[in-house]
Structures are given as structure tokens and as C-alpha cells.
Amino acid sequence: MIISKTPLRCSFFGGGTDFHEYYENSRPGYGSVISTTLDMHVYITVNHNFDGKVRLCYAGNELVDHADQVKHNIIREALKIVGIEKGIEIFYSADIPLSGAGIGLASSSALAVGVLNALHAYKGEYVSAEQLAKEACYIEIECLGQQIGIQDQYAVSYGGFKRYRFNQNGSVTVMPVVCRKEILQQLEKNMMLFFTGITRDSGKILSEQTKTISDKTAMLDSLVATVDRAHDELVCGNLDLWGEELDKSWQIKKKFAGGISNPVIDKMYTAARDAGALGGKILGAGGGGFLLLYTKKDRQTDVKTVLKEFRQVPFALEPQGSRIIFSD
């Protein structure tokens, strides 16, 4: 039996610059994001199936004779990549509802990476974070044709607070954010996460965003510059400027595609800003999911009050990426 544990992620700056349509032709020569993983995880349990069949247990259940018959698209493609055709059981659980796709925490990429990690370990194969990320990108983008970027797969594979550069030649540079421990602790305390109550299919938003990337290169270039600027502000301890940069980036992101924001999100964000939040953003593609806010401690009670109808979700920063936590 093998169990893998893969974190979800929170992306702060640079979303959209991780699409190959942008970074392969970008003026800076790369795309860039800064993100962290969170202490919310996806768990994959893999075990031998005595009957020689393929059994899956997630929000639904499947029992089939061969991997090709598996309906769950990510798990099916992962089985193909690793080369397992039958005789296996896979159980999928998470710290968020299994129906929580489309909430902006990279749950689909965490599933892909976690399944790949567990299946490789089941075969006695060690794979690096780089290989896990590449294989997950291949599944989601090449095999399933999803119009998404590549930041999520790298973030949940490597874990921790990091800055990523997506180079024109297709390579990815992974750089840990190095700053004083107390700065990261204070940043964590100043971040608030609220669930909008809206789940959405991000495909339409991302499809529109992908088709119009060439028309928005100037905005994307500015987001790349924001990543480096926000990084330097964080390292120097200028946390309030970090919050202000979140607001500036959110104002840009809303222009990328229709549906990124909506009246509910706009009302939440305006109320939070009026109550003292310095900045924030919707995580992921937009349209729903989680609203991240930067709010100094002395104004957080006011923000909670104006957003009392929305669920606040506590979280902490997670230093590790996808890993095997049990092997027997």
C-alpha cells in the first residue's frame, strides 16, 4: 500500500504569464509567478487489487477490467503514463470536498501530481518534483486538452513559498523565497481566505483568456514585473506594499476575460477594502472559489464583520510538496 500527500496552492502574483502562448514569446523572455502551498491536501491511496481489476473510489466509484475503461480522465491518463493496466485500487480523498473543482486552489493539478507520485512509488520508482510536474502538465494540457497554464503542477510538486520562471525554451526555474522567518509568519497572519460560495467551470474563462493573450501582452508584461517587485518588497519586510500590489494585480486580472469577477465578488471585495483590507484577489481562474485578502491584524475583525455571510477558512503555509507518507 502506498499513500501520497499533495498540497493545494495559493498563487499571489503572475497568474496568466504561465501560459505557453505568453512565455514563449514574452518581451521579458519568461513568464513568472510567486505562490505558496497551503496546509490543505489531496491524499491518494494505492493498493493491489486481488481480482486483477481496476477499482477507483472518489466522489464516485468505478470497477473495470482495464485502465482504458476508467472514466476518471486524470486517473486514467496517469495509469497509462506509469504503465499500469489492471490489478490496482486507487482511493482519492481531500481536505476540501471532492466536488470542489473550480475553487482556485489547484485541486485538479494536485490530484494529477498525487496520483502520479503514488503510482510511481507503487512500482518502486522514485521520481523528482520536476518529473511529476512535467507529467501532470502532459496529462492536463496534452492528453486532456485543457487550456491552462503550468504554474499549478509545479507549485504542488515542489511545495513551499517559491518564485517560478517559465522560460521561452520550455524550462522552468524554481527559486525559493528567502527571507526572515518572522516576515513570512507576519504575512501568514495578515492573509485572510473567504469562500465565495460559488464554484465554477474555469474552462470558459481560461479559453477566452488564452485566445486573447496576444492582445494583452502589455498587461502580462506588467504582471511579470510585479512578481519581482513584490518579491523584493516581501524580502525587505514591506508587507503593506505587498497588499497594495495584490490590489493592483487584481484590477489588471479582471480585464483578462469576462466572468473573472461578478457582482458577488465585486461586492465582497469592495466591502473588504472599505473595512480595511489593503488588497486581495480571487484565486485561480476567477468567477468564484476563494477570495484572498491582505488585512493587517487590527482591521481583521472589521473585515470579518462585513463578510460574515461568507465562510472564512483558516490556513497556514505548507513548506513541502507532494510526498509519499506511507509505504508498506
Side-chain angles (χ1 to χ4, degrees):
M1 178 181 289
I2 301 290
I3 303 176
S4 70
K5 180 180 182 181
T6 305
L8 302 178
R9 72 94 188 93
C10 166
S11 177
F12 293 107
F13 300 102
T17 71
D18 59 318
F19 285 72
H20 75 87
E21 291 89 348
Y22 172 75
Y23 63 76
E24 288 178 354
N25 305 287
S26 72
R27 185 177 304 171
Y30 54 84
S32 185
V33 302
I34 187 166
S35 66
T36 186
T37 40
L38 306 175
D39 63 343
M40 293 182 273
H41 300 86
V42 166
Y43 302 88
I44 304 295
T45 301
V46 173
N47 198 18
H48 173 69
N49 182 277
F50 178 78
D51 295 328
K53 295 180 180 291
V54 178
R55 181 188 177 203
L56 306 185
C57 182
Y58 49 101
N61 292 281
E62 298 187 46
L63 181 64
V64 297
D65 294 323
H66 194 276
D68 288 338
Q69 300 170 309
V70 170
K71 294 180 180 179
H72 195 295
N73 54 7
I74 289 178
I75 296 177
R76 180 186 65 244
E77 299 303 325
L79 287 166
K80 290 181 181 179
I81 285 179
V82 179
I84 297 176
E85 299 180 346
K86 55 186 178 178
I88 196 165
E89 297 180 340
I90 301 175
F91 298 85
Y92 165 30
S93 60
D95 293 328
I96 59 172
L98 296 183
S99 60
I103 58 175
L105 297 177
S107 55
S108 293
S109 294
L111 169 61
V113 168
V115 169
L116 287 164
N117 204 0
L119 292 177
H120 279 297
Y122 179 77
K123 291 188 67 177
E125 301 169 350
Y126 167 79
V127 288
S128 65
E130 175 75 12
Q131 181 176 339
L132 288 173
K134 285 184 175 180
E135 289 182 352
C137 287
Y138 177 75
I139 287 175
E140 294 193 89
I141 298 172
E142 302 299 329
C143 297
L144 303 181
Q146 297 179 9
Q147 294 179 308
I148 59 176
I150 64 174
Q151 64 160 313
D152 292 353
Q153 299 86 350
Y154 279 84
V156 302
S157 295
Y158 279 91
F161 208 124
K162 290 183 172 61
R163 183 169 38 149
Y164 300 88
R165 282 189 176 176
F166 310 104
N167 304 307
Q168 287 182 327
N169 64 4
S171 65
V172 178
T173 305
V174 182
M175 299 169 283
V177 173
V178 180
C179 66
R180 299 195 308 275
K181 183 178 181 180
E182 57 267 28
I183 292 176
L184 286 183
Q185 290 175 335
Q186 188 59 52
L187 176 65
E188 183 179 89
K189 292 176 182 177
N190 288 356
M191 303 306 298
M192 307 176 75
L193 196 61
F194 291 89
F195 183 49
T196 65
I198 304 169
T199 57
R200 76 287 185 270
D201 180 359
S202 60
K204 183 177 180 181
I205 296 173
L206 292 172
S207 177
E208 181 182 344
Q209 181 175 324
T210 302
K211 292 176 182 177
T212 60
I213 279 179
S214 60
D215 300 325
K216 297 181 173 67
T217 54
M219 287 191 290
L220 290 164
D221 290 346
S222 70
L223 292 181
V224 171
T226 297
V227 170
D228 292 338
R229 190 166 62 249
H231 171 268
D232 294 344
E233 289 167 356
L234 178 66
V235 171
C236 294
N238 299 324
L239 293 180
D240 289 354
L241 291 177
W242 176 280
E244 292 169 7
E245 291 289 356
L246 279 173
D247 178 63
K248 294 176 184 177
S249 294
W250 172 239
Q251 301 308 324
I252 294 173
K253 180 177 178 178
K254 288 195 295 183
K255 300 175 183 177
F256 281 177
I260 286 180
S261 192
N262 56 48
V264 172
I265 294 171
D266 288 342
K267 184 178 179 180
M268 288 180 69
Y269 189 72
T270 299
R273 288 270 289 164
D274 290 345
L278 293 182
K281 59 171 291 190
I282 286 289
L283 297 180
F290 285 91
L291 175 65
L292 178 75
L293 296 168
Y294 178 94
T295 313
K296 292 195 288 188
K297 207 66 177 171
D298 62 344
R299 302 302 300 274
Q300 290 188 2
T301 299
D302 294 336
V303 171
K304 290 178 185 178
T305 299
V306 298
L307 297 182
K308 61 184 179 181
E309 63 182 286
F310 300 97
R311 178 179 178 181
Q312 183 182 7
V313 179
F315 70 93
L317 306 186
E318 166 61 71
Q320 298 187 69
S322 183
R323 57 200 184 272
I324 303 301
I325 60 171
F326 182 84
S327 176
D328 185 13

